[in-house]
Amino acid sequence: MSHTKAIILAAGFGTRMKSKKPKVIHELAGKPLVACVIDAAKKAGVEEICVVVGHGSEMVKAAIGEDVTYVMQEEQLGTGHAVKMADDFIDDEGRTLVLFGDTPLITSETLKALLDVTEKNNNSVTVLSTMVDNPTGYGRIIRREELFYKSVEHKDATDEERLVCEINSGMYCFESAALKGALGRLTNDNSQGEYYLPDVLPLIQAEGGRVEAFITENSDEILGINNRVQLAEAQKIIQKRINETHMMNGVTIINPEQTYISMDAVIGSDVVIYPNTFIEGKSAVGDESIIGPNSRLVDSSIGEGTTVEQSTVLESTVGNETSVGPYAYIRPNSTIGDHIKIGDFVEVKNATIGDGTKISHLTYVGDADVGKKVNFGCGTITVNYDGQKKFRTTVEDEAFIGCNSNLVAPVTVHHRAYTAAGSTITEDVPGESLAIARSRQTIIEDWVKKNRKK
């Protein structure tokens, strides 16, 4: 296939979103709308992408990154005007896709088919169309003897043409030279004084170019997002696609309608996902793990055979055959090894936990380096902050931390050392020693009788 580029129109702000940020950077399944379109284009084989930006351009650029070319559309004077802004990006050979930043449901498979049809049939333009039950408001594809004749806007269509249910999606694959030539002849001679991209089609036909309409069977792919209601509808559609893909690949999802998985998540086989679970960002879940119910993973890696129950894991790594939860909170930059128990109401932050360690309940381990086969008693706290600086706690292999211990960092509990329950440890504990840091118990007999009258 010849060199392929894509122009993505993303200059509108989207006032109907009622938002302070541009429409195209609102998220769908954890990814900006325009990024969904970019991904689909890249997967279809597009080599270079130009995004036409306008309102809120800096926010759009920040959301997308530097992997694309940007051109500015200062005034929004129609879709044809937007493509004109990218005239220098368009080559004199090859193909150019024209897409929209607010149609995130378009798939790479459909774009690949659009490119293939254009190449195979030597089309100057291939229009992406679809069939809908209610075409009101859409431009219609008018055919003669089943061949493309013209695209007509709803307001300009005759009564007979308005009965046609094949609509123009607004997405195209152009022979680049044909597009470049037609843009040079495009005018704004209409009541709105704007430049419309569909107007290049008759210009190309007049030059003898072949125009074809390619129908996608899935009309959902051309849905544009203009408000929050449509965004929610698109979320349902994309989530259904994502969940069905995982289920076909060997993942058990107990209730797909209550399971939310990002586009970039990777999930192994024989994983079971319970309802009300969110797997966000670039999270990965290993084979035979169990996630949920009521759990959230964000940009985290979960090993094989691990359970995360009613817990949150943020930007962290959890190893194999480890149990997390219920009600655990794993905060960013934590690395939890294999065969570990992180129990109920345990919080871990910026810590490394060695294999075989048990932190069963009601414990905070923050800014700590914990070895293998350590046991934390209930109510233990690593006291990592003195009000100005944070310090680290080190607990070496096979240490035993008694219930309600406070480990005041910086401090080290060495190999196989013990701390007595209720101790506040402020100094290093030597290996295989017992540290007791509490007042000796005192009994005052008959204290209640003597003080009751008071």
Side-chain angles (χ1 to χ4, degrees):
M1 182 179 290
S2 57
H3 189 74
T4 305
K5 292 186 172 184
I7 298 170
I8 300 176
L9 309 186
F13 197 82
T15 55
R16 282 178 282 176
M17 295 296 286
K18 303 292 177 63
S19 175
K20 295 179 181 178
K21 61 185 183 181
K23 172 174 63 175
V24 296
I25 64 172
H26 284 262
E27 291 191 350
L28 185 69
K31 183 170 288 191
L33 303 182
V34 65
C36 299
V37 183
I38 291 170
D39 284 355
K42 287 181 176 179
K43 290 176 182 176
V46 171
E47 295 152 279
E48 295 182 64
I49 294 174
C50 176
V51 179
V52 181
V53 295
H55 296 297
S57 60
E58 293 307 313
M59 286 187 278
V60 176
K61 291 177 182 179
I64 297 173
E66 301 300 323
D67 196 29
V68 300
T69 298
Y70 295 99
V71 295
M72 188 72 180
Q73 186 187 19
E74 298 285 356
E75 295 182 274
Q76 276 70 61
L77 299 176
T79 51
H81 179 258
V83 178
K84 272 176 170 282
M85 297 300 99
D87 186 68
D88 290 343
F89 176 79
I90 303 169
D91 289 333
D92 293 325
E93 57 183 23
R95 312 289 177 190
T96 300
L97 288 171
V98 177
L99 309 171
F100 292 103
D102 63 355
T103 55
L105 298 177
I106 189 67
T107 65
S108 59
E109 291 81 7
T110 293
L111 294 181
K112 180 67 164 58
L114 188 66
L115 287 163
D116 289 344
V117 166
T118 306
E119 187 89 7
K120 178 182 177 182
N121 296 344
N122 197 28
N123 294 339
S124 296
V125 191
T126 308
V127 184
L128 182 64
S129 68
T130 193
M131 307 297 293
V132 295
D133 294 331
N134 181 10
T136 303
Y138 289 99
R140 308 299 204 283
I141 299 296
I142 307 302
R143 295 176 180 267
R144 286 189 176 177
E145 297 179 355
E146 298 186 358
L147 298 177
F148 177 90
Y149 175 62
K150 67 176 180 177
S151 175
V152 59
E153 294 300 315
H154 177 86
K155 59 183 173 55
D156 299 323
T158 65
D159 290 342
E160 183 180 359
E161 288 170 342
R162 289 184 180 185
L163 297 175
V164 172
C165 291
E166 184 180 358
I167 63 169
N168 185 345
S169 72
M171 290 178 266
Y172 304 87
C173 180
F174 287 93
E175 182 185 44
S176 297
L179 173 60
K180 202 172 184 73
L183 287 173
R185 301 190 301 276
L186 184 64
T187 69
N188 62 344
D189 187 17
N190 53 58
S191 58
Q192 287 76 28
E194 296 188 352
Y195 299 86
Y196 296 120
L197 191 59
D199 290 347
V200 305
L201 302 182
L203 296 176
I204 291 173
Q205 287 174 306
E207 294 290 319
R210 173 181 167 83
V211 181
E212 182 179 351
F214 172 74
I215 300 175
T216 175
E217 295 181 0
N218 185 0
S219 61
D220 289 343
E221 291 193 41
I222 65 106
L223 291 178
I225 308 299
N226 293 304
N227 55 50
R228 312 268 183 159
V229 174
Q230 292 173 337
L231 182 64
E233 291 171 352
Q235 175 66 42
K236 289 181 181 178
I237 293 168
I238 199 72
Q239 197 60 76
K240 185 172 185 288
R241 284 186 198 169
I242 293 169
N243 290 354
E244 287 181 354
T245 297
H246 285 299
M247 288 188 286
M248 293 302 292
N249 288 333
V251 176
T252 296
I253 300 179
I254 303 299
N255 187 345
E257 293 182 358
Q258 293 183 346
T259 301
Y260 309 91
I261 303 173
S262 76
M263 297 182 195
D264 293 330
V266 177
I267 303 176
S269 64
D270 291 320
V271 170
V272 178
I273 303 175
Y274 281 86
N276 203 31
T277 288
F278 295 75
I279 301 177
E280 303 175 32
K282 295 183 178 180
S283 292
V285 180
D287 296 350
E288 300 181 359
S289 288
I290 299 172
I291 311 297
N294 306 313
S295 293
R296 184 180 180 220
L297 311 179
V298 181
D299 291 321
S300 294
S301 176
I302 308 298
E304 298 183 358
T306 287
T307 299
V308 179
E309 179 185 356
Q310 299 187 88
S311 296
T312 298
V313 183
L314 307 177
E315 299 171 29
S316 294
T317 299
V318 180
N320 302 321
E321 298 184 26
T322 286
S323 172
V324 176
Y327 317 119
Y329 184 23
I330 311 300
R331 292 168 58 190
N333 199 31
S334 295
T335 301
I336 295 168
D338 302 337
H339 305 285
I340 289 173
K341 178 178 176 59
I342 305 292
D344 51 290
F345 304 104
V346 170
E347 180 176 351
V348 179
K349 185 215 74 168
N350 190 28
T352 300
I353 312 296
D355 297 348
T357 288
K358 294 181 180 179
I359 312 175
S360 295
H361 34 217
L362 295 165
T363 292
Y364 171 73
V365 181
D367 298 292
D369 300 294
V370 178
K372 299 178 180 179
K373 296 183 180 180
V374 173
N375 187 89
F376 282 84
C378 177
T380 296
I381 297 173
T382 58
V383 185
N384 57 336
Y385 186 50
D386 68 358
Q388 292 183 328
K389 294 182 179 180
K390 290 186 178 179
F391 301 92
R392 294 191 74 80
T393 297
T394 300
V395 181
E396 295 183 353
D397 295 352
E398 300 182 52
F400 189 101
I401 310 301
C403 294
N404 291 316
S405 290
N406 297 309
L407 306 181
V408 182
V411 72
T412 298
V413 179
H414 286 279
H415 182 225
R416 288 184 179 173
Y418 278 59
T419 68
S423 293
T424 295
I425 305 300
T426 59
E427 298 178 2
D428 291 357
V429 181
E432 300 188 340
S433 300
L434 170 64
I436 304 174
R438 62 190 184 208
S439 298
R440 184 178 296 276
Q441 180 172 314
T442 301
I443 304 295
I444 303 176
E445 295 184 357
D446 297 325
W447 183 89
V448 174
K449 291 180 181 178
K450 293 175 182 177
N451 287 277
R452 182 170 291 170
K453 291 181 180 181
K454 295 181 182 179

